[in-house]
Amino acid sequence: MNIALLLVNLALLLVNSALFTREFHAFTREFRTFTREFHAFTREFCTFTREYRTFTREFRFTREFRTFTREFHFFE
């Protein structure tokens, strides 16, 4: 009787570990997909911020240049 219960418990343990392994592999697949998409998003976001900084730098330069030319014409 004890050996039969031990075998049943062992069989249940194997089934549970197989189910756990399958679920864990599914989770890791989803997590890899998430990290891939997150890295793509961060790359795009970094590109956007770099372009935005460049734009604001150029815009600031043009604004300062207009102010300078306006003041220069004032002294003429």
Side-chain angles (χ1 to χ4, degrees), residues 2-52:
N2 286 339
I3 294 177
L5 287 176
L6 181 63
L7 290 175
V8 168
N9 282 334
L10 184 61
L12 289 174
L13 180 65
L14 288 174
V15 168
N16 283 336
S17 66
L19 291 175
F20 172 78
T21 303
R22 188 174 63 195
E23 291 295 320
F24 184 73
H25 284 302
F27 168 75
T28 55
R29 262 194 315 275
E30 291 176 8
F31 188 72
R32 279 195 307 263
T33 303
F34 167 75
T35 55
R36 196 176 311 117
E37 292 173 356
F38 184 74
H39 284 301
F41 168 75
T42 54
R43 272 195 307 274
E44 292 175 8
F45 187 73
C46 289
T47 303
F48 166 76
T49 54
R50 189 170 34 251
E51 291 173 354
Y52 182 74

Side-chain angles (χ1 to χ4, degrees), residues 48-64 66:
F48 166 76
T49 54
R50 189 170 34 251
E51 291 173 354
Y52 182 74
R53 275 184 305 202
T54 304
F55 167 75
T56 55
R57 196 177 310 122
E58 292 170 353
F59 182 76
R60 191 170 47 242
F61 173 76
T62 56
R63 192 178 61 216
E64 291 170 357
R66 273 191 306 223

